[in-house]
Amino acid sequence: MTVVQISQASNREQYQQIAKIVDLTDNRPAGLLLHAATELPDGTVQIVDVYDSAEALEAFGQQRIFPAFAEAGILAEMTARPQPIGYEPFEFVH
């Protein structure tokens, strides 16, 4: 089951710090179908990820994102926020 998750970073600098650690370009996670990030007018960054399964999304979070937050020193900040949820899309065209 494909899942879509929308999350946010506080700003572009924070997003880029985590993106550098996670390195999606050279170390693409299993199951990732789409990753997009855009800076909103208020400076926050909206992130859209599409995975081929909820299990792949969960594995990415546990194995890559949370360790990256810890390495960047923002794990407590990020886990204090409401956590994004992956939802099954009723339509997905790619």
Side-chain angles (χ1 to χ4, degrees):
M1 150 188 84
T2 303
V3 293
V4 176
Q5 178 177 277
I6 300 173
S7 57
Q8 288 192 335
S10 296
N11 52 55
R12 186 181 281 204
E13 180 182 344
Q14 183 185 70
Y15 171 83
Q16 290 175 328
Q17 179 183 21
I18 298 303
K20 184 177 179 181
I21 295 167
V22 172
D23 189 19
L24 294 177
T25 303
D26 293 328
N27 190 8
R28 188 180 182 101
L32 178 64
L33 301 176
L34 174 115
H35 173 83
T38 187
E39 189 171 18
L40 301 178
D42 67 0
T44 61
V45 174
Q46 185 168 323
I47 305 156
V48 177
D49 289 303
V50 180
Y51 277 83
D52 64 8
S53 70
E55 294 79 16
L57 175 60
E58 176 69 21
F60 176 68
Q62 295 303 314
Q63 297 168 9
R64 306 267 299 275
I65 284 293
F66 286 108
F69 291 161
E71 183 176 330
I74 62 170
L75 181 61
E77 173 190 342
M78 298 308 287
T79 57
R81 295 179 180 184
Q83 297 302 298
I85 300 169
Y87 293 96
E88 182 179 0
F90 65 86
E91 182 173 26
F92 178 63
V93 179
H94 65 97

